[in-house]
Amino acid sequence: MAHEERRLEVLRAIVQDYVSTNDPVGSKALAERHDLGVSPATIRSDMAVLEEQGYITQPHTSAGRVPTDKGYRLFVDRLSAVKPLSMAERRAIERFLDGAVDLHDVLTRTVRLLASLTRQVAVVQWPTLSRSAVRHLEVVQLTASRLLLVLITDTGRVEQRVVESPVEIDADAVAELRSLLNATFGGARLGEAGGRVPELLETAPPHLRGLLAVLSAALVETLVEPGEDRLVVGGTANLARTSGLDFAGTVRPLLEALEEQVVVLRLIGEVDAGTVLVRIGEENAHEALAGASVVSVGYGSGGRSFGGLGVVGPTRMDYPGNMAAVRAVARYVGHLLAES
Amino acid sequence: MAHEERRLEVLRAIVQDYVSTNDPVGSKALAERHDLGVSPATIRSDMAVLEEQGYITQPHTSAGRVPTDKGYRLFVDRLSAVKPLSMAERRAIERFLDGAVDLHDVLTRTVRLLASLTRQVAVVQWPTLSRSAVRHLEVVQLTASRLLLVLITDTGRVEQRVVESPVEIDADAVAELRSLLNATFGGARLGEAGGRVPELLETAPPHLRGLLAVLSAALVETLVEPGEDRLVVGGTANLARTSGLDFAGTVRPLLEALEEQVVVLRLIGEVDAGTVLVRIGEENAHEALAGASVVSVGYGSGGRSFGGLGVVGPTRMDYPGNMAAVRAVARYVGHLLAES
DNA sequence: GTTGGCACTCTGTCCGTGCGAGTGCCAGCC
DNA sequence: GGCTGGCACTCGCACGGACAGAGTGCCAAC
């Protein structure tokens, strides 16, 4: 029915105006700035209904309306068109990311790029170890009874771990260990690594078994260690931009959550490559993020997701623009990492 | 002379009171809170002199006095006693840092620890490559003509670099390269690495020379690359704590400088192990840091400095406390890294 | 050289007023 | 039945004057 449609049109107009001006929007301003074909009075009655339904609210009696979380949700789900990136933005992505020398460099550049494109806080998850595969395992002898185990994954991560050996070791043993480990774990998804340990221990030469057990344990532990899911954060200066207006003094808990990482990781980590996920305000189910929205997507290649990335900002954000930017950057990063 | 001494005592009292209360301090309050043995009127005349000399200033005519950068400088240089850490703090340092599994972990824990001890923004520089020594070089074959060069330093850093080979390579060549590289560069300070390249190229078997040239170049380049001096930042939430009061809305440029890293790195990097360096306000010679102070020190072991660490906060900070915390943490981190 | 007294200055706060924006309601119109 | 213009009403906010309080500088006295 026509009523319904116009009301949604009104909601869309409210969201757009509010996002761009940061002022509660009134019926008169709406009628002027948008071709809704009806008078302010009519818009007022639509707004009354929208408020009744919980999509908008007024900060105080004689102010305009502001979208609620529910209003933004409807906007994102049904009212926003995908906003294509400008040529300048596309070029910026390429220029920014090309020339990165290693994984750390790629992630750092990505997070800066995303922050500058969206003017929000950007976060990028390191490729999760559990979804990576072993490219190479290296054993370096530090002292007679101390080894360094270095893991290099196909996603470019390098992890290290010092291992105390129960027995003294010589150079030959190190070489043997290296080739055994690579033969066993080479190419394995790290999720499967644990399963290959028993077989390795059975078939290995007896004098190396004790050592291999320790090394395997260190390897498996590296994957399980919760700290190994890391986050790169950037653009926090954007929080200070319009702080107090957008975040109503809630900047601090947000900064804390970003440093804690664990909360944000949970949100960012739950994504598939390709599907942009938007969580609005209270949907984040965490106090510090109640006033914020998170736009995230997985990055990876060939249908395989390495990890997630996204932006965190006030609920009053440019959803279509941010969704487009996040998706485009994720796609590019996926290609980049697949190549190297 | 007695005058002079009492005036300094007044300055010390002003700094202490102002740091703890954040209110401009007046003559009457000073007389009440400190046993200066003279009346407010006398203190007033002392304050007039201190203001004349540029150590304190008044925000407006009828307010109390506030220390200037110059005043803090005098306080730090001559008026503050070293504040020993409490037992609880010492225990916190040990508990926090023990159990770190690798360098990244150590640095992350350190920055969090320092931030929570001082309630300021903490920064820790990664061990500089140019001052590290080669512990091991690893060559991993990715494809027929693509190698991954992995550098492991004695400070625990692991750097990687993809190298395109001009010729096709087989497994034997890789093993040969590995042992040649380790023989040449093993144990070398990275600053000296460049000097050993010509000799390596002369003595190497001819068929490997082209490849060795490329690998050596990649190694040297890794050291020179400005991006390789990195910073771990933590506790930025502390900026939001009393923001507006301390930083007068200058939080944003500060956050930007911290993300840029380069400015802060210059400040943090210029330190010797052992000597705590304090830079106050304008002394930082950078706009974004003009309202901030930086307390930094080098960490390392055996007289050798790996890198710097420190805290960044408002000029109105607890200098003795922060200096003590920074020094204690640096010492502990130095030991920790020397062991591993 | 120190002290108490005093006049002065300035800020922050409180309160009352007026203005403007925006709404809800209602009677009239298509 | 839905849309529109008009109108009264409600608030928030900015402006301005008055006032109290804190702190100073100066001066005469000790």
Side-chain angles (χ1 to χ4, degrees):
Chain A
M1 66 167 50
H3 282 185
E4 185 68 13
E5 258 176 44
R6 194 191 55 215
R7 264 209 301 276
L8 293 182
E9 202 57 36
V10 168
L11 177 57
R12 169 195 278 147
I14 290 173
V15 171
Q16 287 173 348
D17 278 21
Y18 182 62
V19 165
S20 66
T21 66
N22 195 23
D23 282 324
V25 10
S27 56
K28 195 176 159 202
L30 262 194
E32 277 169 10
R33 299 189 31 147
H34 299 263
D35 268 347
L36 294 168
V38 292
S39 75
T42 309
I43 294 178
R44 279 204 286 282
S45 80
D46 286 340
M47 287 164 93
V49 177
L50 285 171
E51 180 159 21
E52 171 102 8
Q53 297 174 328
Y55 294 118
I56 55 179
T57 184
Q58 31 186 346
H60 48 260
T61 319
S62 80
R65 301 309 214 288
V66 162
T68 60
D69 287 0
K70 189 178 169 191
Y72 284 122
R73 169 52 60 199
L74 188 62
F75 175 82
V76 168
D77 288 346
R78 298 186 40 198
L79 303 177
S80 64
V82 180
K83 184 195 275 184
L85 289 186
S86 71
M87 266 314 287
E89 287 169 320
R90 298 194 170 281
R91 264 200 308 269
I93 294 180
E94 291 182 30
R95 201 181 44 228
F96 225 87
L97 295 184
D98 278 352
V101 298
D102 63 7
L103 179 63
H104 180 276
D105 203 13
V106 170
L107 299 182
T108 307
R109 287 172 187 235
T110 301
V111 86
R112 288 191 187 178
L113 169 66
L114 205 49
S116 80
L117 280 178
T118 62
R119 300 175 55 92
Q120 307 288 353
V121 178
V123 291
V124 179
Q125 182 186 16
W126 281 66
T128 41
L129 288 179
S130 55
R131 287 187 225 141
S132 301
V134 175
R135 176 179 275 162
H136 185 78
L137 284 166
E138 181 57 31
V139 182
V140 179
Q141 184 153 19
L142 300 181
T143 69
S145 67
R146 220 174 197 180
L147 297 177
L148 184 70
L149 178 65
V150 180
L151 160 68
I152 300 169
T153 74
D154 63 341
T155 49
R157 274 187 78 161
V158 177
E159 297 295 320
Q160 40 175 329
R161 204 94 172 190
V162 174
V163 177
E164 299 284 345
S165 162
V167 296
E168 297 225 337
I169 318 156
D170 60 21
D172 288 346
V174 170
E176 210 170 340
L177 285 169
R178 182 184 300 138
S179 74
L180 272 172
L181 286 171
N182 278 297
T184 305
F185 297 112
R189 283 296 160 79
L190 292 176
E192 317 156 8
R196 300 198 186 178
V197 174
E199 194 196 332
L200 168 66
L201 293 181
E202 272 175 38
T203 59
H207 69 286
L208 291 179
R209 281 188 196 165
L211 201 41
L212 277 172
V214 180
L215 287 169
S216 308
L219 177 63
V220 172
E221 191 189 323
T222 301
L223 311 178
V224 176
E225 188 78 22
E228 295 310 323
D229 262 0
R230 292 178 201 157
L231 212 52
V232 185
V233 179
T236 49
N238 290 322
L239 284 181
R241 184 159 35 102
T242 42
S243 153
L245 287 167
D246 288 333
F247 281 82
T250 58
V251 177
R252 185 160 191 225
L254 199 56
L255 278 173
E256 280 169 357
L258 286 168
E259 288 199 356
E260 265 330 305
Q261 301 214 346
V262 54
V263 176
V264 182
L265 265 173
R266 218 178 41 222
L267 292 174
I268 293 286
E270 286 177 5
V271 288
D272 301 326
T275 317
V276 178
L277 199 66
V278 179
R279 294 165 180 276
I280 299 165
E282 306 276 358
E283 295 173 9
N284 287 307
H286 190 276
E287 212 175 333
L289 293 170
S293 286
V294 179
V295 176
S296 57
V297 68
Y299 67 89
S301 78
R304 188 171 143 227
S305 169
F306 295 169
L309 58 78
V311 299
V312 181
T315 52
R316 179 193 150 267
M317 66 159 59
D318 171 18
Y319 290 96
N322 290 345
M323 290 168 74
V326 164
R327 171 154 51 193
V329 170
R331 196 170 292 167
Y332 202 86
V333 172
H335 292 171
L336 210 59
L337 292 182
E339 276 175 21
S340 64
Chain B
M1 64 170 47
H3 281 185
E4 184 69 13
E5 259 176 43
R6 194 191 56 214
R7 264 210 299 278
L8 293 182
E9 202 57 39
V10 169
L11 177 58
R12 170 196 276 148
I14 290 174
V15 171
Q16 286 173 348
D17 278 21
Y18 182 62
V19 165
S20 65
T21 66
N22 195 24
D23 280 324
V25 8
S27 55
K28 196 177 159 201
L30 262 195
E32 279 169 11
R33 299 189 31 147
H34 298 263
D35 268 346
L36 294 169
V38 290
S39 77
T42 310
I43 294 178
R44 279 206 284 282
S45 80
D46 286 340
M47 286 164 95
V49 176
L50 286 170
E51 180 158 21
E52 172 102 10
Q53 296 173 328
Y55 294 119
I56 56 179
T57 184
Q58 32 185 349
H60 48 260
T61 320
S62 78
R65 302 309 214 289
V66 163
T68 59
D69 288 359
K70 190 178 169 191
Y72 284 123
R73 167 54 58 199
L74 188 62
F75 175 82
V76 168
D77 288 346
R78 298 186 41 197
L79 304 176
S80 64
V82 180
K83 185 195 277 183
L85 289 187
S86 71
M87 266 313 287
E89 287 170 321
R90 299 194 169 280
R91 263 201 309 270
I93 294 179
E94 290 181 31
R95 202 181 45 227
F96 226 87
L97 295 184
D98 278 351
V101 297
D102 62 8
L103 179 62
H104 179 274
D105 202 14
V106 170
L107 300 181
T108 308
R109 287 171 187 236
T110 301
V111 86
R112 288 191 188 180
L113 169 65
L114 204 49
S116 81
L117 280 177
T118 62
R119 299 175 57 91
Q120 307 288 354
V121 177
V123 292
V124 178
Q125 182 186 18
W126 281 67
T128 40
L129 289 179
S130 54
R131 285 187 227 143
S132 301
V134 175
R135 175 178 276 161
H136 185 77
L137 284 165
E138 181 56 31
V139 183
V140 179
Q141 185 153 20
L142 299 181
T143 69
S145 67
R146 220 174 197 176
L147 297 177
L148 185 69
L149 177 66
V150 181
L151 160 69
I152 300 167
T153 74
D154 63 341
T155 48
R157 272 186 78 161
V158 177
E159 297 295 320
Q160 41 176 326
R161 203 92 172 193
V162 174
V163 177
E164 298 285 344
S165 160
V167 295
E168 297 224 338
I169 319 155
D170 59 22
D172 288 347
V174 170
E176 210 170 340
L177 285 170
R178 181 185 300 138
S179 74
L180 272 172
L181 286 171
N182 278 298
T184 306
F185 297 112
R189 283 296 161 82
L190 292 177
E192 316 156 9
R196 300 200 185 175
V197 174
E199 193 196 333
L200 168 66
L201 293 181
E202 272 174 37
T203 59
H207 69 287
L208 290 178
R209 282 189 194 165
L211 202 41
L212 278 172
V214 180
L215 286 169
S216 308
L219 178 62
V220 172
E221 190 189 326
T222 301
L223 311 178
V224 177
E225 188 77 22
E228 294 311 323
D229 262 0
R230 290 177 203 158
L231 212 53
V232 185
V233 178
T236 50
N238 290 323
L239 284 181
R241 184 159 36 102
T242 41
S243 153
L245 287 167
D246 287 334
F247 280 83
T250 58
V251 177
R252 189 166 187 220
L254 199 55
L255 277 173
E256 279 170 358
L258 287 168
E259 288 200 356
E260 265 331 304
Q261 301 215 344
V262 53
V263 176
V264 183
L265 264 173
R266 219 178 41 222
L267 293 174
I268 293 286
E270 286 176 7
V271 287
D272 301 327
T275 318
V276 178
L277 199 65
V278 179
R279 293 165 180 274
I280 298 164
E282 305 277 357
E283 295 174 7
N284 287 306
H286 191 276
E287 212 176 332
L289 293 170
S293 286
V294 180
V295 176
S296 57
V297 69
Y299 66 89
S301 78
R304 187 171 145 228
S305 169
F306 296 168
L309 58 78
V311 299
V312 181
T315 50
R316 178 192 151 269
M317 64 160 60
D318 171 17
Y319 290 96
N322 289 346
M323 288 168 75
V326 164
R327 171 155 50 195
V329 170
R331 198 170 292 166
Y332 202 85
V333 171
H335 292 170
L336 209 60
L337 291 181
E339 277 174 19
S340 64

